Amino acid sequence: MNKYELIYIIDTAVEETARKELIEKFNGIIVANGGEVVKVDEWGKRRLAYAIDYKTEGYYVYVAFNGASELPKELSRNLGINENVIRSQVVKLLDKKSSVKPRPVRVAPVAEEAPVEAAQKTEE
């Protein structure tokens, strides 16, 4: 199973009870298609970066989930059909696999004569 992140924006004109039902509906789609909802985080009402259909605010919802490779396509289809969802994006998370060893930290050579000379000059 792959790891995914989903962020979608719900229209602020939708009432709170309908918004909760909408969030549960999309979580249900994930579970019904063999996925597992890991985390649901409601970011709340925020200002959009630019107006979408003359709307300047939206209710942001973040969902982290695991699922098969067909699940994001089905989820995107359902998000696109719903008229209360302004925008949505599904992103597949990749595990970092690094075979490169980190470079050793280079330290500048210490010049011991310079501080001694400076100390002698201040004493004179």
Side-chain angles (χ1 to χ4, degrees):
M1 295 204 353
N2 299 321
K3 295 180 182 180
Y4 296 97
E5 288 183 339
L6 164 67
I7 297 178
Y8 57 97
I9 306 170
I10 302 172
D11 188 4
T12 54
V14 177
E15 294 181 12
E16 184 177 352
T17 55
R19 186 174 59 234
K20 296 286 184 193
E21 290 173 4
L22 197 61
I23 293 169
E24 287 301 318
K25 175 185 173 185
F26 293 128
N27 292 343
I29 291 171
I30 293 170
V31 173
N33 287 302
E36 172 192 3
V37 177
V38 177
K39 180 180 178 183
V40 177
D41 192 11
E42 296 181 29
W43 292 348
K45 186 165 46 169
R46 296 179 180 241
R47 186 170 173 82
L48 300 174
Y50 54 90
I52 301 172
D53 294 332
Y54 303 104
K55 298 171 186 163
T56 57
E57 289 186 333
Y59 192 86
Y60 283 70
V61 180
Y62 166 83
V63 180
F65 65 96
N66 299 329
S69 59
E70 301 84 24
L71 181 57
K73 188 174 181 180
E74 178 65 20
L75 195 57
S76 295
R77 186 184 70 79
N78 282 291
L79 287 162
I81 291 172
N82 196 309
E83 60 190 30
N84 293 324
V85 176
I86 299 172
R87 287 282 191 270
S88 65
Q89 184 174 20
V90 181
V91 178
K92 181 180 177 183
L93 298 177
L94 300 175
D95 294 328
K96 287 188 174 182
K97 296 179 182 177
S98 178
S99 62
V100 179
K101 294 181 183 177
R103 287 184 168 178
V105 179
R106 292 187 179 184
V107 179
V110 178
E112 294 185 23
E113 296 177 11
V116 174
E117 292 175 3
Q120 290 175 354
K121 290 180 182 178
T122 56
E123 291 177 4
E124 293 175 357

